[in-house]
Amino acid sequence: MARIPLIAGNWKMYLTVAEAVELGRAVAASSKGLKDREVMIAPSFTALAAVIEAVAGSPVKVAAQNVAWEKEGAYTGEISPVMLQDVGASMAILGHSERRHIFGEDNAMVNQRLLGALKFDLTPVLCVGETLEEREQGATFKVVEEQLSQGIKGVGSDRISRVVVAYEPVWAIGTGKTAGKEQAQEVHAFIRKVLAGLYEKKLADEIRILYGGSVKPENVDSLMAQPDIDGALVGGAALQSESFDRIIHYL
Ligand code: 13P
């Protein structure tokens, strides 16, 4: 089965509701008529409802930037998968390096979030990636394998192809330093090999693996030409409609 590429914008903690709606409308216009790729945007929680309304009728999918695992409960500051469903979101980013490194989320928590997303029919985008220190110590594959295998723990063969993986080397996020295309491809192929070991090759071949970390109009074409890069998770360049438009229309 051919993997449908996914171009995703992570808006992080940026934009007012009015700004998010304006950008959402521009992304919807950019995505009109696209058949061979999917587009996703992840606004802040406060802008989700308004952005979902703004892109209604377009193929753009709207994601949350995180999700809790219970339907409801005493979890101050968290948003449940049912609340996301209620507002019309269809996907959720989990395990982003900013959640792991600034807010201390560990693999076990990321796993709970992922299982919560799947249980309530949200498509999870599981982020994995090594720090600069880990790369320099030669620990890239070990870290990525741990984050991946622990993140998807408990997900059976019947649901694994719904998961999207995003490889985001921490040293490439917001730094302007992209992983070279061969460097990224090497880790993507490794991720697919780990998945093939945990499930089966046929299923591993269906799973989309996005690259994230300083994706720009200038480098998207060469990244997307790699055989195991199935999309991009874009931060800074997703906040401007012109640059995200060019990224969506990668060659
Ligand atoms: P940048 O594209 O700004 O490097 O951010 C990447 C990212 O963290 C997307 O989730």
Side-chain angles (χ1 to χ4, degrees):
M1 195 182 84
R3 299 184 292 270
I4 300 170
L6 173 65
I7 301 296
N10 174 8
W11 294 356
K12 306 195 180 185
M13 198 173 72
Y14 290 99
L15 310 178
T16 62
V17 173
E19 290 164 345
V21 164
E22 191 185 332
L23 183 56
R25 287 205 185 107
V27 174
S30 291
S31 308
K32 224 173 137 196
L34 287 178
K35 296 254 180 299
D36 61 343
R37 58 199 72 182
E38 290 181 353
V39 177
M40 178 201 104
I41 48 180
S44 62
F45 287 119
T46 52
L48 272 177
V51 170
I52 287 164
E53 196 184 322
V55 305
S58 85
V60 176
K61 296 182 163 38
V62 181
Q65 296 176 18
N66 210 350
V67 61
W69 49 91
E70 294 288 350
K71 182 170 158 246
E72 59 185 12
Y75 295 92
T76 301
E78 290 287 326
I79 306 283
S80 90
V82 174
M83 291 168 175
L84 294 180
Q85 261 187 342
D86 181 45
V87 85
S90 57
M91 305 180 73
I93 297 172
L94 326 151
H96 191 279
S97 74
E98 286 144 21
R99 297 304 315 170
R100 294 177 188 269
H101 298 293
I102 306 173
F103 298 97
E105 294 195 14
D106 61 9
N107 286 327
M109 182 182 283
V110 172
N111 178 238
Q112 278 187 288
R113 294 189 186 280
L114 182 134
L115 294 174
L118 284 175
K119 184 170 169 191
F120 293 100
D121 291 329
L122 297 166
T123 299
V125 181
L126 169 65
C127 304
V128 299
E130 81 289 1
T131 63
L132 182 58
E133 201 186 352
E134 289 161 343
R135 176 162 280 265
E136 285 171 347
Q137 288 167 354
T140 298
F141 291 150
K142 179 175 161 280
V143 170
V144 167
E145 180 164 12
E146 261 171 29
Q147 291 178 345
L148 175 66
S149 59
Q150 292 182 32
I152 57 178
K153 205 167 154 191
V155 180
S157 301
D158 54 329
R159 295 190 299 173
I160 191 63
S161 53
R162 283 176 46 206
V163 175
V164 177
V165 178
Y167 170 57
E168 297 208 307
V170 180
W171 48 270
I173 296 178
T175 57
K177 242 200 268 174
T178 330
K181 56 186 192 317
E182 289 89 7
Q183 220 173 11
Q185 164 60 26
E186 184 187 28
V187 181
H188 282 233
F190 172 75
I191 289 171
R192 205 175 303 286
K193 197 178 92 188
V194 171
L195 291 167
L198 292 170
Y199 298 89
E200 51 183 279
K201 186 170 180 304
K202 186 181 150 287
L203 283 174
D205 285 341
E206 288 177 9
I207 297 170
R208 291 182 288 184
I209 308 172
L210 317 183
Y211 169 78
S214 298
V215 175
K216 307 279 177 224
E218 301 75 46
N219 57 29
V220 67
D221 299 338
S222 62
L223 285 163
M224 290 303 295
Q226 300 302 307
D228 288 294
I229 299 185
D230 309 310
L233 184 52
V234 187
L239 290 169
Q240 262 94 42
S241 55
E242 301 77 25
S243 53
F244 196 56
D245 177 80
R246 174 60 183 84
I247 292 171
I248 291 173
H249 292 95
Y250 72 86
L251 305 174

